[in-house]
Amino acid sequence: MKSLVLTFICLAILPLGMMAQGWPQDYGGVMLQGFFWDSFSDTQWTRLEKQADDLATTFDLVWVPQSGNCGGTSMGYDDLYWFDQNSSFGSEAELRSMIKTFKDKGIGTIADVVINHRKNVSNWVDFPKETYNGVTYQLTSTDICANDDGGATKTWATNNGYSLSKNNDTGEGWDGMRDLDHKSENVQNNVKAYLSFLLNDLGYTGFRYDMVKGYSASFTKMYNESSNPQFSVGECWDNSNTIRNWIGGTSKTSAAFDFQFRYTVRNAINKGDWTWLGKQNEGNWPLVSKDYQSGNYRQWAVTFVENHDTEKRSNAAQDPIKKDTLAANAYLLAMPGTPCVFMTHWKAYKQDIANMVAVRKAVGITNISTPTTIASSKDYYAVQTTGSKGKLLCVVGTKAAQYEPNSTEWKKVLSGYHYVYYVSGIEPESIVFPTFKPSDFQKYTITVNVNAEQVGWSSVNFWSWGGDGSHKPKNNSWPGDKVTTTNTVGGKTWYTQTYTINEEDDAVSFVFSTGSGSPQTVDVADVTTDKFFEISTSMDGSKHLVNDVTAQYITGIGSVVADHENDGKVYSLDGRLVHTNGSLEGLPKGIYIINGRKVVK
């Protein structure tokens, strides 16, 4: 009995950060998913860091892409290196700087952790050798599940003199990369060291575990108890009972995304019937619903209405919310659980979303607050959520503005397209809404010119992406737009297309190809000015290199006539006088002529 009492006392006096807690109870924070699919330009660590002041007005956590080196351009889900943190989003030094800046502003950074599977270096079973703090870490062929890829890996391994683990996968299999055997002590040691590195060296606050159905929940429990993250959330993409059981399988050391919350919102919006917010999705109540019959799991529910997998990608038909994203976010931010706002929604509706979060926090809504349906009809849905300081009534729907609550109890504080917020118990004047410094940026167009004479291509396809998400090709299927517009410059024929740069951090990235998409070039990233590219016969693997020859072929200079050689006047490439004092201040990014010389801003 004495030993039991002593054990209890020891556990009681441990600091909170020393015990894996899954997700804090009564947590009132809001998270941002700081990326979308192919957000290579928008989610550069340097660009996210520049947004820290704006993000800090609204978000307590920012979930960023998997930050390890994947051996090429990648969103991070084909993880190759764990301790090499130079990725498609920037260098390790830039990553560390961003995390520190976020921390200084009161924002915790959530790492995307991909440990269900791992990519190989050169064959089916070889993994990279990495040394960290004097210790060498490497997975071997015997760390691969015996039934990986439905037995195809075992066949290859046997034919080539390798052995796999004797253990089958403890979760769902995934073809394409090697499923790791988490029963292996070597796998466990590698993962534990990796997670410790993320938290204690790089400075991450917590984890978002990818594809957690791929291995037993007991291993997430093991890894969280070893690393002690402040926040842990798993991607258990399934019905609510499966999600609940997964949370229980981690001994509640991890939260999970509330997928069925997302689907009820999708149903209501895409069906044009707002009563669906109060219904089950295919027999599933969301975890945060008051009607979920299997206990209060709101504390461990991270709610969302869109993410990188559910949005409509340029090259795949996903399951997006097709309209009313403002109303979707208004409902999301009025409900319990921990809301996770999607980056494209934040970019499109920054002020609205910031105002919604300000109201949420002013009334004290947390992840365990209680929601109550007040009204439900095809045209609108009203839900009341009681916080620690007051109450919020959120009305969403095509006729949300026509719903009139009791004016003696409720005071209107916020409204927009298909949503209205009312509060009770606090004065609207007490709510401090954030303000954002207006940008002096002016939109401008760029022209991208491609010459394919060296490689003998008779046509060129432009596959484009990046920046603010508006640069997807008109033809959403690979290989993108077959460009037929040409221009002759310097005696050469150039395939040409224009794009609009919409904001300061906007940019366009490309892959050029011919025919049905093969052969193709390497990626050409972050284009922000007029460019002339020549496709080279030189190769990077199977892909053609691209030479930037803009300095030789830039057009429009002939129309610029300076009054005096060193008069300091600034001209655009089409000959317009845009400044008289030699300064580029206040001008959009682009190429200008000063004293007869080209200057890039």
Side-chain angles (χ1 to χ4, degrees):
M1 177 65 74
K2 288 182 180 180
S3 65
L4 289 175
V5 172
L6 181 60
T7 299
F8 175 79
I9 293 173
C10 291
L11 289 173
I13 63 176
L14 281 174
L16 184 61
M18 295 299 291
M19 301 179 66
Q21 57 181 328
W23 209 269
Q25 183 177 4
D26 218 19
Y27 181 65
V30 177
M31 182 162 68
L32 172 72
Q33 179 177 355
F35 64 99
F36 49 91
W37 205 260
D38 290 341
S39 62
F40 300 113
S41 298
D42 221 49
T43 312
Q44 289 292 305
W45 308 138
T46 53
R47 293 184 176 181
L48 286 176
E49 184 175 3
K50 289 178 182 178
Q51 301 172 46
D53 286 333
D54 283 358
L55 296 176
T57 65
T58 301
F59 300 107
D60 306 272
L61 302 169
V62 175
W63 158 30
V64 299
Q66 197 280 111
S67 53
N69 185 344
C70 294
T73 302
S74 171
M75 287 300 298
Y77 296 110
D78 55 342
D79 56 319
L80 180 59
Y81 295 94
W82 286 352
F83 297 97
D84 178 349
Q85 293 286 303
N86 297 287
S87 70
S88 298
F89 304 97
S91 67
E92 180 177 315
E94 292 167 340
L95 173 65
R96 289 179 181 274
S97 178
M98 179 198 71
I99 292 173
K100 182 181 184 302
T101 297
F102 280 3
K103 184 176 181 180
D104 291 344
K105 301 290 183 180
I107 302 171
T109 308
I110 302 297
D112 207 324
V113 174
V114 183
I115 55 174
N116 169 69
H117 52 264
R118 197 170 181 185
K119 189 164 70 174
N120 304 103
V121 178
S122 62
N123 63 35
W124 278 57
V125 299
D126 63 335
F127 297 97
K129 180 184 292 185
E130 299 184 85
T131 300
Y132 173 66
N133 281 349
V135 179
T136 298
Y137 297 95
Q138 186 176 29
L139 301 181
T140 69
S141 64
T142 56
D143 293 319
I144 300 171
C145 296
N147 58 343
D148 180 59
D149 270 20
T153 306
K154 187 172 184 177
T155 298
W156 185 93
T158 300
N159 291 339
N160 288 274
Y162 293 93
S163 298
L164 304 186
S165 170
K166 297 179 180 179
N167 301 316
N168 284 336
D169 205 332
T170 58
E172 294 182 1
W174 186 71
D175 294 348
M177 273 170 273
R178 306 291 74 77
D179 284 355
L180 303 182
D181 173 23
H182 288 271
K183 290 182 177 180
S184 162
E185 184 177 355
N186 187 46
V187 170
Q188 294 171 11
N189 290 338
N190 274 256
V191 172
K192 288 176 182 178
Y194 170 48
L195 298 183
S196 176
F197 166 64
L198 293 176
L199 289 179
N200 301 316
D201 193 333
L202 293 179
Y204 279 107
T205 300
F207 306 137
R208 176 266 185 188
Y209 286 102
D210 179 66
M211 197 180 171
V212 296
K213 292 199 302 178
Y215 51 98
S216 170
S218 63
F219 295 113
T220 300
K221 173 180 183 291
M222 172 192 293
Y223 298 139
N224 278 346
E225 288 179 342
S226 171
S227 58
N228 295 307
Q230 294 182 46
F231 300 90
S232 170
V233 56
E235 182 208 28
C236 186
W237 195 338
D238 214 308
N239 62 61
S240 291
N241 286 339
T242 299
I243 297 172
R244 179 203 67 200
N245 291 337
W246 182 84
I247 294 171
T250 74
S251 296
K252 295 183 176 178
T253 63
S254 184
F257 286 103
D258 193 347
F259 275 88
Q260 299 307 319
F261 179 92
R262 189 265 167 187
Y263 287 123
T264 59
V265 176
R266 177 212 59 186
N267 291 344
I269 292 174
N270 289 354
K271 292 175 183 291
D273 183 351
W274 295 90
T275 62
W276 280 87
L277 290 180
K279 297 179 180 180
Q280 298 184 63
N281 173 61
E282 299 178 349
N284 289 276
W285 289 110
L287 296 182
V288 296
S289 171
K290 190 176 180 180
D291 298 304
Y292 187 58
Q293 71 272 22
S294 299
N296 182 1
Y297 275 77
R298 294 194 291 272
Q299 176 182 338
W300 295 279
V302 176
T303 53
F304 69 103
V305 295
E306 204 81 284
N307 69 18
H308 62 295
D309 283 320
T310 62
E311 69 166 330
K312 182 175 174 58
R313 302 182 197 168
S314 59
N315 60 345
Q318 299 298 318
D319 185 28
I321 292 173
K322 298 174 183 176
K323 57 184 177 180
D324 277 324
T325 52
L326 258 180
N329 280 280
Y331 180 70
L332 168 74
L333 293 165
M335 290 289 282
T338 298
C340 183
V341 175
F342 190 41
M343 187 178 195
T344 56
H345 295 175
W346 168 249
K347 287 173 63 63
Y349 306 110
K350 181 187 294 186
Q351 190 65 63
D352 285 86
I353 290 175
N355 290 347
M356 294 171 190
V357 174
V359 176
R360 174 189 180 89
K361 292 186 175 182
V363 300
I365 295 175
T366 73
N367 58 358
I368 61 171
S369 296
T370 302
T372 303
T373 300
I374 301 299
S376 178
S377 75
K378 184 177 185 296
D379 297 323
Y380 60 80
Y381 186 88
V383 61
Q384 169 193 303
T385 305
T386 302
S388 60
K389 304 171 187 175
K391 294 186 290 186
L392 169 60
L393 177 63
C394 168
V395 187
V396 293
T398 51
K399 295 184 179 179
Q402 297 180 19
Y403 178 80
E404 296 182 0
N406 185 338
S407 60
T408 60
E409 179 181 6
W410 296 102
K411 297 180 180 179
K412 181 178 176 179
V413 292
L414 198 61
S415 64
Y417 187 72
H418 293 173
Y419 78 91
V420 186
Y421 271 11
Y422 302 87
V423 295
S424 176
I426 64 169
E427 293 299 324
E429 296 77 14
S430 67
I431 303 174
V432 178
F433 294 111
T435 57
F436 300 102
K437 181 181 177 182
S439 173
D440 58 2
F441 179 86
Q442 298 178 13
K443 294 182 181 180
Y444 64 96
T445 60
I446 63 171
T447 302
V448 176
N449 306 271
V450 177
N451 177 270
E453 293 176 6
Q454 290 186 29
V455 290
W457 294 358
S458 59
S459 64
V460 177
N461 306 309
F462 284 39
W463 179 260
S464 53
W465 73 90
D468 67 350
S470 69
H471 304 303
K472 298 173 182 177
K474 294 176 183 177
N475 177 11
N476 285 335
S477 300
W478 173 263
D481 297 332
K482 182 177 181 179
V483 176
T484 57
T485 302
T486 60
N487 188 21
T488 301
V489 179
K492 294 185 177 182
T493 299
W494 305 84
Y495 294 89
T496 179
Q497 188 143 291
T498 61
Y499 300 85
T500 300
I501 302 300
N502 296 300
E503 55 191 42
E504 186 175 357
D505 288 333
D506 198 7
V508 194
S509 298
F510 298 92
V511 170
F512 306 113
S513 67
T514 191
S516 59
S518 180
Q520 68 179 64
T521 70
V522 296
D523 292 0
V524 179
D526 297 343
V527 177
T528 59
T529 60
D530 292 347
K531 288 290 184 181
F532 282 75
F533 294 120
E534 286 186 336
I535 300 174
S536 171
T537 55
S538 299
M539 307 290 284
D540 180 1
S542 63
K543 299 178 181 180
H544 288 274
L545 296 177
V546 178
N547 296 324
D548 184 347
V549 293
T550 305
Q552 301 175 40
Y553 293 100
I554 195 70
T555 62
I557 297 175
S559 62
V560 178
V561 179
D563 294 337
H564 301 285
E565 184 179 356
N566 295 304
D567 61 3
K569 292 182 179 180
V570 182
Y571 295 87
S572 63
L573 288 179
D574 59 7
R576 292 180 296 110
L577 177 66
V578 293
H579 239 303
T580 59
N581 63 357
S583 171
L584 297 179
E585 184 176 357
L587 295 176
K589 292 180 179 179
I591 300 177
Y592 298 92
I593 307 298
I594 304 177
N595 298 328
R597 307 184 75 175
K598 289 173 289 184
V599 177
V600 178
K601 180 183 179 183

